Amino acid sequence: MSSLPQQTVRRRRVFYIPGYDPIHPRRYRELYRKEGAEQAEISGYAIELHGKRGKKRYGWSVRGEMEDATVDAEFDVLVWSDIVRDSMERGIVGTYMLLFRTAWVYIASGALGRLMRLRKGPVIAALYPVGFLLVQLVIALLLAWGLGTLLATYVHPWLFWAGLIVVPFALEWFRRKDNKFFAYYLMHDYAYSARYRGAEPPELETRMAKFTAEIADALKTDVDEVLVVGHSSGAHLAVSVLADLIRLGYVPANGPTLSFLSLGQVVPMVSFLPEAHRLRRDLAYLCTRPELTWVDVTAPGDGCAFALCDPVAVSGVAPEEGKRWPLILSAAFTQTLSPERWKAMRWRFFRLHFQYLCAFDLPGDYDYFRITAGPLTLSERFEDRPPSPSLIDTPASKYTSTAA
């Protein structure tokens, strides 16, 4: 990487788009506070965080002192957790119905097999809730068989079927323990993407339009950079939000620098589905635009992301000429986390999926806190940086049609 230029960012607006997460957005503020303090101590800089009050949007303020500069950043979480919570209110029977419908969408469309060609990790993560929910059902039925056998043996043969009374109680016990198993949570996550076979649900389209308007307002202010961060499922939402922003002419020629950082993206889980015409159109459009810089960061150690997969190219919508983005970079967990920390975390799949937002004890070029609270734009920070040599850019999707 070339030598770093002088400070060009003194004020920054950061918009964070979470993934499919029903938890209150305050968790992201506390995560930034805790991990930012740890990274500052490791890397020798200072970060000071304050909460916002009296605003409709949820966020926080940061003052970063690093690289011989002071930067003020305002963070806003673009919330859709209420939509997530509503989508999860299906109950036990409804969840099992979603299981079979979602599995059918991915298998019958051929998307599952093609996703396996890219990365097995996120596909295994997608299959886990299907398998574990079926295991729960089998266990519940075995308990019913055992109870029915006891009743039939010691009370009356006709009472064998009375053993089925235990099934709903067993399944409810598993559901209440889902904060440990994550089977229901993940099932609803993948079911939401498959609900319209890759098309965005109407309620999400409405919310994304609001996100677009909020970012457009920020581009009218006197900040130096507007940075949009999309994590996990939030990455593909950000793609469409930013494509709309540019397409509608909301990016002023002499306004703040517009930057997009996608982290731990799972774009192919949606873009490979037959009705994802809008997302594929937005990927094809955004990858050519000079109005922004798009950097995509993943890591092979993250089993929940399509690590080092160019989401445009693998979706089969990269133009023959004019493709600029994204720049694909690796967070290289095995190199940026000490052997001790990597050993402690390597099987904590959900924690690793959030590592992009956390501190590294052996930090490399990627540092979330320097990007969000440092004096350089995203473009300057990764200027002349080549893409990861392990980049995967071979088209793999069966469906490449785009919206008009």
Side-chain angles (χ1 to χ4, degrees):
M1 186 180 299
S2 60
S3 61
L4 296 177
Q6 296 181 347
Q7 178 175 12
T8 57
V9 178
R10 288 173 172 79
R11 296 183 61 215
R12 175 183 286 113
R13 284 290 299 278
V14 181
F15 291 95
Y16 176 75
I17 305 181
Y20 186 89
D21 190 345
I23 306 301
H24 192 281
R26 73 169 63 91
R27 70 175 293 188
Y28 300 110
R29 181 189 67 193
E30 295 311 310
L31 183 67
Y32 195 98
R33 184 195 305 276
K34 174 180 177 294
E35 297 295 331
E38 182 177 345
Q39 191 68 73
E41 182 176 354
I42 291 169
S43 300
Y45 52 72
I47 286 184
E48 183 180 356
L49 184 148
H50 299 283
K52 287 184 181 180
R53 293 183 179 180
K55 294 201 174 187
K56 293 182 179 180
R57 302 188 191 99
Y58 191 88
W60 60 92
S61 302
V62 170
R63 169 160 287 191
E65 296 181 2
M66 59 187 74
E67 300 170 8
D68 298 321
T70 299
V71 177
D72 291 308
E74 293 288 325
F75 283 72
D76 289 295
V77 180
L78 298 181
V79 177
W80 59 295
S81 54
D82 56 321
I83 295 176
V84 173
R85 287 193 296 271
D86 289 344
S87 75
M88 295 179 70
E89 294 180 355
R90 295 295 184 110
I92 294 172
V93 175
T95 298
Y96 277 91
M97 292 177 65
L98 285 177
L99 183 159
F100 294 110
R101 187 173 71 184
T102 302
W104 173 253
V105 168
Y106 276 100
I107 293 171
S109 68
L112 186 66
R114 289 174 177 267
L115 289 167
M116 286 287 286
R117 300 177 191 177
L118 293 181
R119 288 285 185 185
K120 291 182 172 58
V123 178
I124 292 172
L127 292 174
Y128 160 75
V130 174
F132 194 57
L133 284 171
L134 290 176
V135 166
Q136 292 177 20
L137 181 59
V138 168
I139 291 173
L141 291 174
L142 287 174
L143 289 173
W145 176 83
L147 177 60
T149 300
L150 288 174
L151 292 172
T153 302
Y154 295 104
V155 183
H156 193 284
W158 289 0
L159 290 179
F160 174 79
W161 295 105
L164 290 172
I165 196 173
V166 79
V167 171
F169 294 100
L171 293 179
E172 176 62 18
W173 182 88
F174 278 115
R175 191 188 68 81
R176 292 182 179 274
K177 295 293 183 180
D178 201 57
N179 61 338
K180 298 182 183 296
F181 302 133
F182 298 104
Y184 279 81
Y185 163 71
L186 285 173
M187 189 68 258
H188 286 283
D189 186 353
Y190 297 117
Y192 193 70
S193 297
R195 181 178 174 186
Y196 293 102
R197 294 162 56 86
E200 299 292 1
E203 68 276 9
L204 191 55
E205 281 283 6
T206 300
R207 188 64 53 87
M208 288 161 61
K210 293 181 179 179
F211 293 169
T212 300
E214 292 186 34
I215 298 170
D217 287 342
L219 287 167
K220 298 174 185 177
T221 64
D222 60 353
V223 298
D224 302 300
E225 181 181 37
V226 172
L227 171 64
V228 178
V229 179
H231 175 247
S232 192
S233 299
H236 82 257
L237 301 190
V239 166
S240 291
V241 165
L242 288 166
D244 286 347
L245 187 81
I246 297 171
R247 194 181 289 117
L248 293 170
Y250 291 159
V251 182
N254 298 314
T257 298
L258 179 61
S259 303
F260 173 31
L261 177 67
S262 51
L263 303 172
Q265 56 90 4
V266 291
V267 170
M269 288 299 298
V270 182
S271 66
F272 278 38
L273 291 173
E275 302 301 321
H277 307 296
R278 191 240 216 273
L279 177 56
R280 289 191 290 265
R281 178 197 64 183
D282 295 339
L283 286 165
Y285 178 78
L286 200 67
C287 77
T288 66
R289 304 309 304 178
E291 291 92 342
L292 87 169
T293 295
W294 176 9
V295 176
D296 180 76
V297 180
T298 51
D302 175 10
C304 296
F306 283 89
L308 307 184
C309 293
D310 182 326
V312 179
V314 300
S315 299
V317 293
E320 293 184 4
E321 297 181 0
K323 184 177 182 295
R324 294 169 174 260
W325 316 114
L327 171 62
I328 306 294
L329 300 179
S330 176
F333 291 167
T334 57
Q335 301 172 35
T336 52
L337 297 171
S338 65
E340 296 78 17
R341 182 170 290 193
W342 174 246
K343 182 178 179 180
M345 291 174 55
R346 65 178 304 178
W347 301 115
R348 297 173 60 191
F349 300 113
F350 297 105
R351 171 60 179 80
L352 281 173
H353 193 47
F354 279 87
Q355 178 58 38
Y356 310 98
L357 310 175
C358 299
F360 293 86
D361 55 348
L362 297 176
D365 291 336
Y366 173 74
D367 181 328
Y368 182 61
F369 306 98
R370 288 189 189 273
I371 291 171
T372 56
L376 306 177
T377 65
L378 191 67
S379 176
E380 291 168 339
R381 190 163 295 280
F382 295 104
E383 184 180 7
D384 300 326
R385 172 66 186 268
S388 169
S390 300
L391 164 68
I392 299 173
D393 59 1
T394 303
S397 177
K398 176 181 179 182
Y399 304 98
T400 59
S401 57
T402 59

